[in-house]
Amino acid sequence: MTRGLVGRATHAVRYFLLRRLPACRQMAALMSESMERPLTLRERVTLRLHLWACIWCVWYLEQLQLLRAGLRERAEAEDSAADINLSLEARERIKRALKGGS
C-alpha cells in the first residue's frame, strides 16, 4: 500500500512540475545551449527539475551527449592523422592564423 501511495505522489509531483515548467521544446534548446555555454543557476535548476519529471527529455539529452562524444572522437582521430602529415611549424602557422594573429 505504501509503495502505491509513494508512486502516486511521485507521479502527481512530476505532473505538477511539467504543467508549470517550460515546455520540452524550450528545454531542448536549453540543453543544446548548455553544451556551448555555462547555464545560469535558474536555468540549471529549471533544467534539472524538468529532467526529473520528463523521461523524453532525458533520452534527448543522452542522444545529444552521445552525438557530441562521437563527433569529438572523430575530430580527434582526424587531428591525429593531420599531425602525421603536418610539420610543427605548419601547425603553429595554422594556429596563429585561426587565432587572428600573423
Side-chain angles (χ1 to χ4, degrees):
M1 170 121 173
T2 305
R3 180 176 239 175
L5 184 61
V6 171
R8 283 183 290 185
T10 301
H11 177 75
V13 170
R14 286 181 170 160
Y15 182 77
F16 174 82
L17 285 173
L18 284 175
R19 302 280 294 163
R20 281 145 187 87
L21 290 170
C24 293
R25 185 177 300 252
Q26 293 167 316
M27 290 292 99
L30 189 61
M31 284 182 246
S32 294
E33 288 178 26
S34 74
M35 296 184 173
E36 302 298 324
R37 67 170 175 88
L39 298 178
T40 65
L41 178 61
R42 182 183 183 125
E43 290 172 329
R44 284 193 315 260
V45 169
T46 302
L47 181 59
R48 293 275 179 159
L49 284 172
H50 188 89
L51 290 173
W52 181 76
C54 179
I55 190 66
W56 300 100
C57 287
V58 170
W59 293 336
Y60 179 75
L61 182 59
E62 288 173 358
Q63 289 296 313
L64 282 179
Q65 291 169 340
L66 182 68
L67 284 170
R68 187 175 189 188
L71 289 171
R72 279 191 173 164
E73 286 179 23
R74 182 177 178 180
E76 288 172 4
E78 289 175 357
D79 285 345
S80 64
D83 288 346
I84 295 170
N85 298 328
L86 293 176
S87 68
L88 182 58
E89 181 183 317
R91 282 186 269 152
E92 291 303 320
R93 272 196 326 267
I94 292 171
K95 284 180 187 177
R96 283 194 308 270
L98 289 174
K99 287 181 182 177
S102 309

